[in-house]
Amino acid sequence: MNTILKNPLGGNLKDAQIKKIEGFVRGFKLSSLTYKRIMQLLHEEMNSGLSKTTNHMADIKMFPTFVRSLPDGTEKGKYLALDLGGTNFRVLMVELNGKDVDIQSKTYLIPQRIMLGTGTQLFDHIADCICKFVNTHDIMGEKLPLGFTFSFPCKQEGLATARLSKWTKGFRCEGVVGEDLCILLHEALKRKGNIDVEVVAIINDAVGTLMSTAHSDRNCEIGLILGTGCNACYMENLEHVGLWDGEIRNPKQVIVNTEWGAFGDNGCLDFIRTEYDRELDTFSINPGKQILEKMISGMYMGEIVRLVLERLTMEGLLFSGVDRECELFVRGRFYTKYVSEIESDHDEFFRNTKQALDELGLEGYSSEDCKIVKYVCTLISARAAFLSAAGLATLINKINKPNMTIAVDGSLYRFHPRFHNLMCLKMKELVRPGLKFQLQLSHDGSGKGAALVAAVATRLRDNKIIL
Ligand code: ADP
Ligand code: MG
């Protein structure tokens, strides 16, 4: 990869300049040995999260989800689903009929003032959106079972009882941490007065993603999210889940929500963090938290790129004569979607790169500048993809089944042109020889997944099987 700058395409970068630039980005290139060390640390942290005696000290909480049965493809009926993932909020109506799934959905904006407001405001807003949706879809009188995909770290006490353990991904609504989300939602719906729904399950998006793919693929064992945040879940043997308080009866398994975005919060990843990672963290709303997530996910990747570009510009290595007022110098202004777009440029015209730079108000840049910008994007996306690969390889080696499907969802994975291939490349290196795997894009994991959990839950309840 370090040959990219020497690519004859642009041609005019001087060796001395390349060397200096390399000095500022070296920290993003990690050796295979380093990724193996990260896997070992992650494995230890996961075990510490799973054990009852050490969980209180563990950063990776390994929450048992109470989702213990995968769909079998016979699920039927009409369900409501909510998807609160960090960037978007959606209300969905999902009709399941065997392998056929019909989804109608509407996306609603969550304004920043609500993301940082009170819990009451947030849940009133959610209730409002449900009300509008139910009205426009003419299902006012029907009491539909609802599956709630709430993608923040939660401690589950039952399938439909989840307490928020902390906010992440730019949310910080007062009065929600420690509360039962189902009660908050029901209370908000009651305040609205006229909607009758029954929340039968609260899950997160990783679980929804696993469920959605498991609907048609029996080998699906892992769900991965690469969206606003980064998280993974997997099906674990109950005997390995020290936190499991219930009886150990069939099926002797439960999906564990790792919440691995918090890996590194105790400092164990400090040896790979760059100055840019530290700066991003300092200016985030949750400093010191979600260290792994901040090196991978869509909420942060563009900002890491921006910080590097800013540094190179200040050092006189990029964009000479740039206007200091331009938006390259504004925090949060370099969107992660630019990284995908820039990485899609394959010739010397740099069409997407130029468009992104134009949107940032940059003028008079050269082809060499475009080349450097692309190089920085390449390095930062590769590190993110390789870290995700190391996480998955840790889980795959732990589960140790001969052939596994990993369901993946989230805009970063979906739209980044090289993320999938980069991940596969690194996983082949890190997964134990003999274990086969495939990464499968999950279709609407959060919506279909929540409906499937709701369907499985109602089926088990109707059969008087208590979860
Ligand atoms: P959520 O995580 O809220 O469910 P998404 O899966 O859509 O939502 O992920 C949103 C994140 O994906 C945002 O942080 C955004 O920066 C990033 N993103 C959006 N479009 C792209 C893209 N084309 N390429 C890479 N990342 C993107
Ligand atoms: Mg999502």
Side-chain angles (χ1 to χ4, degrees):
M1 223 162 3
N2 46 7
T3 57
I4 286 177
L5 283 181
K6 294 182 185 129
N7 186 322
L9 265 180
N12 292 332
L13 284 167
K14 296 195 182 62
D15 278 355
Q17 189 185 2
I18 294 175
K19 215 165 158 193
K20 279 192 195 149
I21 293 172
E22 283 296 342
F24 287 104
V25 297
R26 188 174 296 137
F28 294 109
K29 297 181 193 174
L30 304 174
S31 68
S32 290
L33 214 62
T34 304
Y35 284 109
K36 287 182 183 152
R37 172 82 188 121
I38 292 168
M39 286 173 66
Q40 193 187 344
L41 287 166
L42 179 61
H43 190 211
E44 285 162 17
E45 289 281 317
M46 282 182 178
N47 284 342
S48 153
L50 279 173
S51 153
K52 205 169 197 163
T53 49
T54 46
N55 179 272
H56 65 284
M57 304 182 304
D59 284 328
I60 305 183
K61 286 297 177 197
M62 307 295 278
F63 295 111
T65 61
F66 290 79
V67 180
R68 299 179 48 205
S69 302
L70 295 176
D72 60 11
T74 63
E75 289 72 21
K76 269 196 168 62
K78 210 179 200 181
Y79 300 87
L80 275 178
L82 307 179
D83 174 19
L84 185 67
T87 299
N88 298 312
F89 172 62
R90 292 182 311 153
V91 184
L92 308 94
M93 188 172 66
V94 185
E95 267 192 274
L96 304 171
N97 191 2
K99 295 273 179 246
D100 289 336
V101 183
D102 179 57
I103 302 181
Q104 294 181 46
S105 73
K106 176 130 178 61
T107 301
Y108 300 88
L109 208 77
I110 307 252
Q112 182 99 6
R113 72 179 158 76
I114 290 189
M115 288 168 73
L116 300 174
T118 66
T120 312
Q121 286 167 331
L122 174 67
F123 280 90
D124 279 346
H125 181 66
I126 291 176
D128 263 341
C129 298
I130 299 175
C131 196
K132 281 185 198 140
F133 184 88
V134 165
N135 271 323
T136 47
H137 288 79
D138 228 9
I139 41 173
M140 202 60 184
E142 302 177 42
K143 185 172 182 175
L144 297 178
L146 182 147
F148 188 0
T149 304
F150 182 85
S151 305
F152 298 90
C154 286
K155 186 170 186 322
Q156 301 269 161
E157 291 170 6
L159 195 58
T161 314
R163 291 180 192 279
L164 177 66
S165 80
K166 63 177 173 189
W167 284 115
T168 55
K169 301 186 283 194
F171 272 69
R172 196 174 52 200
C173 303
E174 217 180 281
V176 186
V177 171
E179 296 299 318
D180 180 334
L181 300 159
C182 186
I183 294 179
L184 294 183
L185 179 61
H186 272 139
E187 282 173 350
L189 289 168
K190 225 188 284 164
R191 281 195 291 278
K192 282 227 66 93
N194 51 358
I195 338 177
D196 202 9
V197 299
E198 185 194 3
V199 182
V200 294
I202 298 190
I203 60 169
N204 79 1
D205 48 0
V207 175
T209 298
L210 197 170
M211 291 294 275
S212 173
T213 297
H215 190 226
S216 53
D217 182 341
R218 296 266 96 201
N219 287 330
C220 191
E221 295 276 340
I222 300 175
L224 173 71
I225 296 296
L226 291 163
T228 311
C230 173
N231 187 23
C233 70
Y234 70 108
M235 190 57 98
E236 178 61 286
N237 264 326
L238 269 188
E239 275 123 32
H240 297 161
V241 187
L243 291 176
W244 186 255
D245 279 329
E247 283 174 51
I248 300 204
R249 56 167 176 248
N250 284 329
K252 290 183 182 159
Q253 56 177 16
V254 67
I255 297 180
V256 169
N257 167 22
T258 67
E259 288 297 341
W260 76 15
F263 181 38
D265 289 10
N266 64 1
C268 72
L269 288 180
D270 284 0
F271 73 109
I272 62 161
R273 292 173 75 205
T274 64
E275 60 191 284
Y276 314 103
D277 296 307
R278 285 174 217 283
E279 176 161 0
L280 175 136
D281 181 51
T282 305
F283 287 91
S284 68
I285 72 162
N286 52 350
K289 304 278 178 229
Q290 302 297 102
I291 296 301
L292 180 72
E293 179 162 271
K294 284 172 177 160
M295 291 196 269
I296 296 179
S297 76
M299 181 163 176
Y300 308 102
M301 189 192 286
E303 178 63 4
I304 303 177
V305 171
R306 194 195 66 81
L307 288 168
V308 177
L309 299 182
E310 184 176 67
R311 183 69 197 272
L312 294 178
T313 307
M314 295 304 208
E315 297 289 337
L317 295 163
L318 182 66
F319 303 135
S320 65
V322 69
D323 176 359
R324 293 287 147 104
E325 296 294 300
C326 94
E327 294 190 42
L328 177 67
F329 300 101
V330 177
R331 286 189 200 283
R333 187 55 188 80
F334 195 103
Y335 306 129
T336 302
K337 78 174 167 90
Y338 292 158
V339 180
S340 290
E341 287 160 6
I342 291 168
E343 289 246 39
S344 303
D345 274 338
H346 294 298
D347 55 32
E348 75 273 28
F349 300 116
F350 294 109
R351 198 175 62 87
N352 295 326
T353 308
K354 287 177 175 166
Q355 189 170 339
L357 298 181
D358 289 347
E359 283 182 30
L360 290 165
L362 284 150
E363 288 170 359
Y365 48 79
S366 64
S367 287
E368 278 65 42
D369 288 332
C370 292
K371 209 172 178 187
I372 295 168
V373 170
K374 184 165 182 221
Y375 179 57
V376 170
C377 290
T378 310
L379 289 181
I380 291 167
S381 334
R383 184 187 65 161
F386 293 168
L387 284 170
S388 316
L392 284 184
T394 311
L395 279 180
I396 292 171
N397 293 348
K398 185 174 170 61
I399 297 168
N400 199 27
K401 288 195 180 164
N403 192 1
M404 271 174 270
T405 300
I406 297 121
V408 194
D409 202 355
S411 291
L412 176 59
Y413 179 80
R414 194 176 287 267
F415 299 119
H416 190 295
R418 295 181 340 115
F419 220 82
H420 171 91
N421 287 350
L422 287 166
M423 283 178 74
C424 291
L425 196 78
K426 193 48 104 185
M427 284 169 75
K428 282 194 189 117
E429 197 183 308
L430 299 175
V431 167
R432 192 175 301 133
L435 301 184
K436 287 207 194 97
F437 63 87
Q438 48 279 320
L439 298 181
Q440 178 72 50
L441 178 66
S442 159
H443 291 287
D444 206 348
S446 310
K448 182 177 148 194
L452 283 168
V453 177
V456 172
T458 26
R459 182 180 70 212
L460 297 180
R461 188 186 57 189
D462 293 347
N463 292 338
K464 307 249 179 320
I465 298 171
I466 302 148
L467 285 165

